[in-house]
Amino acid sequence: MLQRLLPQSLWGRLTLVMVIGVLLTQLAGNFIWATQRRAEALAEVATASQHVGKSAAGAVRFFLSLPPNYRPLILQQFREMGGTRFFANIIDAPVDVEPITGQELADAALAHLRVSMKDALPNTPDIRMSFTWLERLPARRDVMLTDLPEAWTQQVRLARPAPVLVIQAELEPGNWLYLATLMPNPYFLETGNPLTRDRLLLQALSLAAVLLLSILVVRWITRPLAALSEAAAAFGRGENPPALPETGSREFINTARAFDAMRQRIQRYIDDREKLFVSISHDLRTPIMRLKLRTELLDDEAMQAEFHDDLDELDMMVKGALQTVKDSDIHENPTEVRLDALLGRMVRDAQLAGHEVTFNASGLTVTAKPLALKRAIGNLLNNALHYGQQVELAVREKGGNIEIVVRDHGPGVPEEALAELCEPYVRLEHGRSQNAGGMGLGLGIARGIVQAHGGELALANAPGGGFMATISLPGGAFNPEHAV
């Protein structure tokens, strides 16, 4: 499953590795940064909580030192003159506050505040504190803090919402001191969040820049490899592509030079082999002819006939070797071929010769060497006409490939002999009896031509009887206006 999910190209795999590497690096960096930031935020909250706790304890001690009837006057002065960080009020009972929950920094701040105020006010029987939002904060049971004059509550109002600390301390039964204030850093809850909008935007921009550069670099590195792959595939099809450009990395330049040198050596070897093979085959015909003439001088007619048969067989083998070289090495450029036109001419020629051949037009074209493809199909068609009186030709598109099917209604082939049919000079018993002049080279030549086109030749017994040869060539449909 992993192999199927991975991109098939080197460019895709390198890009995927770069993307995963960058993402993992950012995740690790975020984790380390978040851990450090959390520790720093907890330390800052502890210091700020101790400072606010001392200030709140001082306010509670101040109101405890005042006579109850003086407290409203002092509160009025605070509201008119300012000078304190707290909004203060005297209430007869504590009010219910909707606390902020699920915030680690808020819980840590409250824990430090309780410790600080308990140490500073050991004799105060009941102290309640919590963080809440301003719009949910009551000043007393029937009045919300936001309903009070802004001059009274300016200590707890900001441009954007921030958590408000509410401390309610019991001065004496029936009298509670109500304090509301902001922390020194009003937005301290946000310091514990490592994934802020600004940081996410910065990381997204850096990730996009790294990925863009990585993709461009990987593309630049792999493009010469694609050119090398195309040149190797073209050379395998018998084409003569131009030399690879010596650009790119040093490793690719060395590879391109080695590939060009190998291609030249292989081409020289093929040319030399063809010349040698043709020369030897041609030169053998002269001594064969001399031997035939000398057999005429033999007095023993039986021995003369045996010599003639052996020399005829040798002459047939030489001719077959020449035919194999000529048929399997047709020098021409690939082009787009209309299969309907090509097969139609072959079918008409067979029908004029008295054979029963059927073919349905398909409208498909294929990129191939026209004469070589015609020779391969012709070998299969002639083979089918020899062993089956009725032949059917069909062309179809399957899995992105073009398939050409030649089926006859002859005796078929034993299953154990299918693997050897394309070997040179291999002929089955019924083939010798029906086609005495054959040499067993047609299927081998056809397979060589098809493989030179990057395709495959499949031989099998047809369902319902007969024999079926299927040529599968890579490619698909093309514009018929550009076909030959």
Side-chain angles (χ1 to χ4, degrees):
M1 181 178 293
L2 180 61
Q3 189 68 22
R4 291 197 300 268
L5 293 177
L6 285 176
Q8 298 302 312
S9 64
L10 178 61
W11 176 79
R13 292 189 176 187
L14 288 177
T15 302
L16 180 63
V17 170
M18 297 290 288
V19 170
I20 293 177
V22 172
L23 290 178
L24 290 179
T25 302
Q26 286 204 344
L27 288 176
N30 282 337
F31 176 77
I32 296 173
W33 182 86
T35 302
Q36 294 177 346
R37 191 68 191 94
R38 175 177 175 273
E40 294 173 358
L42 289 174
E44 293 175 359
V45 165
T47 303
S49 299
Q50 292 174 0
H51 175 70
V52 174
K54 291 178 181 179
S55 298
V60 173
R61 282 197 300 268
F62 174 73
F63 279 95
L64 282 173
S65 65
L66 294 175
N69 55 340
Y70 278 19
R71 293 169 185 166
L73 296 176
I74 297 300
L75 289 175
Q76 186 64 30
Q77 290 179 356
F78 283 162
R79 293 167 183 168
E80 293 177 355
M81 300 175 59
T84 177
R85 64 174 302 155
F86 297 99
F87 166 78
N89 197 13
I90 299 296
I91 53 179
D92 55 1
V95 296
D96 294 330
V97 177
E98 184 178 350
I100 297 175
T101 58
Q103 293 285 345
E104 181 185 17
L105 293 181
D107 296 339
L110 291 175
H112 288 290
L113 282 167
R114 291 190 182 95
V115 172
S116 178
M117 293 195 69
K118 185 174 181 61
D119 292 340
L121 301 170
N123 298 323
T124 301
D126 193 2
I127 299 178
R128 304 178 184 182
M129 59 187 69
S130 61
F131 284 99
T132 188
W133 300 108
L134 179 63
E135 61 271 10
R136 304 175 186 174
L137 180 59
R140 54 176 185 257
R141 293 186 182 278
D142 55 346
V143 178
M144 300 298 290
L145 194 65
T146 53
D147 296 334
L148 298 177
E150 186 174 352
W152 293 9
T153 60
Q154 60 183 354
Q155 299 92 337
V156 294
R157 291 183 182 271
L158 291 172
R160 57 191 179 96
V164 179
L165 172 63
V166 179
I167 301 175
Q168 301 180 85
E170 186 179 22
L171 302 178
E172 58 264 341
N175 283 317
W176 288 75
L177 177 63
Y178 177 100
L179 299 176
T181 187
L182 298 172
M183 295 292 287
N185 177 11
Y187 307 106
F188 73 101
L189 292 182
E190 300 177 4
T191 60
N193 180 21
L195 301 178
T196 59
R197 180 181 300 177
D198 294 340
R199 183 170 178 82
L200 287 177
L201 179 60
L202 178 61
Q203 289 193 345
L205 291 176
S206 63
L207 178 63
V210 171
L211 292 183
L212 179 60
L213 292 176
S214 300
I215 291 173
L216 292 177
V217 170
V218 171
R219 187 74 172 179
W220 174 58
I221 293 174
T222 57
R223 183 174 296 173
L225 295 178
L228 177 61
S229 175
E230 293 175 359
F235 182 64
R237 293 191 299 266
E239 302 175 11
N240 189 23
L244 291 171
E246 295 186 1
T247 58
S249 63
R250 180 177 58 187
E251 292 79 7
F252 175 75
I253 292 176
N254 293 336
T255 303
R257 291 174 178 173
F259 175 79
D260 287 335
M262 178 192 69
R263 183 174 60 181
Q264 292 173 7
R265 287 196 301 271
I266 293 176
Q267 190 62 49
R268 285 196 301 267
Y269 168 75
I270 293 175
D271 295 340
D272 293 343
R273 187 209 63 170
E274 292 175 3
K275 294 177 182 177
L276 178 63
F277 196 85
V278 172
S279 298
I280 292 175
S281 300
H282 183 270
D283 292 343
L284 282 175
R285 301 180 68 180
T286 300
I288 291 174
M289 183 60 64
R290 288 202 302 266
L291 288 174
K292 284 185 177 182
L293 293 175
R294 289 177 182 176
T295 57
E296 299 295 334
L297 303 177
L298 294 176
D299 296 332
D300 191 340
E301 294 184 359
M303 184 176 294
Q304 187 183 55
E306 291 180 1
F307 269 106
H308 270 295
D309 291 341
D310 292 339
L311 291 173
D312 287 341
E313 184 177 354
L314 182 59
D315 187 38
M316 184 180 298
M317 292 177 64
V318 173
K319 291 179 179 179
L322 288 172
Q323 180 185 356
T324 300
V325 174
K326 293 179 180 178
D327 288 356
S328 60
D329 189 38
I330 300 176
H331 297 283
E332 56 180 334
N333 294 324
T335 185
E336 295 177 19
V337 181
R338 286 195 186 97
L339 292 177
D340 290 346
L342 176 66
L343 296 178
R345 288 192 294 268
M346 299 175 69
V347 169
R348 286 192 297 271
D349 293 341
Q351 290 174 345
L352 289 175
H355 298 289
E356 185 178 353
V357 183
T358 60
F359 169 66
N360 294 324
S362 64
L364 295 175
T365 61
V366 69
T367 300
K369 296 180 179 180
L371 294 179
L373 181 61
K374 181 180 179 181
R375 186 71 53 81
I377 300 174
N379 287 351
L380 298 178
L381 180 59
N382 293 333
N383 192 69
L385 292 175
H386 277 300
Y387 305 122
Q389 292 73 25
Q390 181 182 356
V391 179
E392 299 171 0
L393 289 178
V395 179
R396 62 196 180 199
E397 187 173 9
K398 183 178 180 181
N401 294 334
I402 299 297
E403 291 188 350
I404 304 170
V405 181
V406 181
R407 178 188 175 176
D408 63 52
H409 292 267
V413 175
E415 293 293 333
E416 62 273 11
L418 287 174
E420 302 177 356
L421 282 180
C422 291
E423 298 298 327
Y425 306 109
V426 172
R427 305 187 67 207
L428 302 183
E429 187 63 32
H430 70 275
R432 295 190 185 96
S433 61
Q434 298 185 38
N435 183 16
M439 292 177 289
L441 297 174
L443 291 179
I445 294 173
R447 183 181 66 174
I449 293 174
V450 172
Q451 290 178 345
H453 283 78
E456 293 292 336
L457 174 61
L459 305 177
N461 288 313
F467 187 72
M468 181 168 60
T470 303
I471 296 175
S472 179
L473 297 174
F478 295 89
N479 188 351
E481 296 180 358
H482 303 294
V484 297

